[in-house]
């Protein structure tokens, strides 16, 4: 079984439309803890899928997505 980790996912998106698209893409992937911050429980594959989904939605020159691994879910 693959190990799951908690991730803090934060995005800083300049444009309101792009920010809304990122929010809609993130809905259901984790718990929204602030306006542009989610805590998500991902396997490595799910983390990669999330990044693949978000990558085309941002402007790489002005926007940022920060993904921080905050720990393992194994006991």
């Amino acid at each position: 079984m693959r190990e799951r980790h908690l991730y803090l996912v934060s995005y800083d998106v300049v444009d309101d439309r792009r920010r809304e698209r990122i929010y809609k893409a993130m809905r259901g992937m984790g718990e929204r803890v602030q306006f542009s911050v989610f805590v998500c429980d991902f396997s490595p594959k799910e983390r990669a899928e999330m990044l693949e989904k978000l990558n085309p939605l941002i402007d790489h020159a002005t926007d940022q997505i920060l993904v921080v691994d905050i720990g393992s879910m194994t006991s």
Side-chain angles (χ1 to χ4, degrees):
M1 183 168 99
R2 291 190 164 237
E3 190 173 303
R4 300 185 69 82
H5 283 233
L6 283 179
Y7 292 91
L8 183 69
V9 180
S10 175
Y11 50 94
D12 182 14
V13 177
V14 176
D15 181 75
D16 290 338
R17 275 190 193 169
R18 286 196 310 273
R19 188 179 316 107
E20 183 67 19
R21 288 183 195 136
I22 296 288
Y23 165 71
K24 286 180 180 180
M26 288 297 302
R27 245 185 345 202
M29 287 192 204
E31 180 182 349
R32 185 178 184 192
V33 293
Q34 285 193 8
F35 184 72
S36 298
V37 180
F38 285 77
V39 174
C40 304
D41 173 14
F42 288 142
S43 68
K45 180 181 178 186
E46 290 167 334
R47 179 184 175 275
E49 289 170 348
M50 182 249 335
L51 291 171
E52 286 178 21
K53 189 173 186 178
L54 298 182
N55 192 43
L57 301 178
I58 68 167
D59 178 340
H60 293 272
T62 61
D63 303 336
Q64 294 183 20
I65 297 176
L66 176 66
V67 181
V68 179
D69 185 342
I70 57 176
S72 172
M73 294 299 298
T74 60
S75 48

